[in-house]
Amino acid sequence: QVQLVESGGGLVQAGGSLRLSCAASGRTFSSYAMGWFRQAPGEEREFVSAVSGGGLKTYYADSVKGRFTISRDNAKNTVYLQMNSLKPEDTAVYYCAATYPGRGTSNDQRQYHYWGQGTQVTVSS
């Protein structure tokens, strides 16, 4: 069982930056690929970024490529999402998620078994 807790959301002006964190419980954190997803009001949840268990492979949605950076610290059981050059269209609830153990990175939310409660990111114009 893995529990995920996101933090770091907030209100920021367009062009600003935020860093989201997701702390995970458990002793086998490195066996889980991790992902970030987001859901804007009235929209379906969408993929943002993913990182492999060892942290060497990363994957981004085209909409955030070059602006967002995913990373993880397995010693701290934490995955991060550094968000720069934020735009109003980045406004959403951001969720972190963990795959089943041993699975690779994926942009398909059906591959993720554990989910956090979400953290709100609001970007004002």
Side-chain angles (χ1 to χ4, degrees):
Q1 187 75 12
V2 175
Q3 293 184 327
L4 304 173
V5 179
E6 301 99 334
S7 61
L11 173 65
V12 64
Q13 289 188 330
S17 299
L18 282 174
R19 187 175 82 154
L20 305 183
S21 300
C22 174
S25 64
R27 293 176 289 180
T28 58
F29 180 64
S30 62
S31 67
Y32 299 86
M34 299 294 295
W36 285 97
F37 293 79
R38 67 186 182 187
Q39 187 169 20
E43 303 288 334
E44 294 188 353
R45 189 163 56 188
E46 65 175 5
F47 170 77
V48 175
S49 183
V51 61
S52 61
L56 296 181
K57 295 182 180 180
T58 57
Y59 190 16
Y60 297 94
D62 287 343
S63 59
V64 306
K65 202 172 293 183
R67 299 188 298 122
F68 292 9
T69 302
I70 192 170
S71 62
R72 65 190 296 161
D73 184 338
N74 287 341
K76 296 182 178 179
N77 279 19
T78 303
V79 62
Y80 305 97
L81 186 68
Q82 177 67 44
M83 306 186 295
N84 298 329
S85 301
L86 283 161
K87 305 175 181 180
E89 51 263 44
D90 294 318
T91 295
V93 177
Y94 283 70
Y95 299 90
C96 73
T99 62
Y100 288 96
R103 294 279 179 92
T105 54
S106 174
N107 64 347
D108 184 352
Q109 56 187 298
R110 294 171 298 181
Q111 300 300 317
Y112 291 83
H113 187 60
Y114 303 101
W115 292 83
Q117 83 288 350
T119 185
Q120 176 71 46
V121 171
T122 303
V123 184
S124 63
S125 58

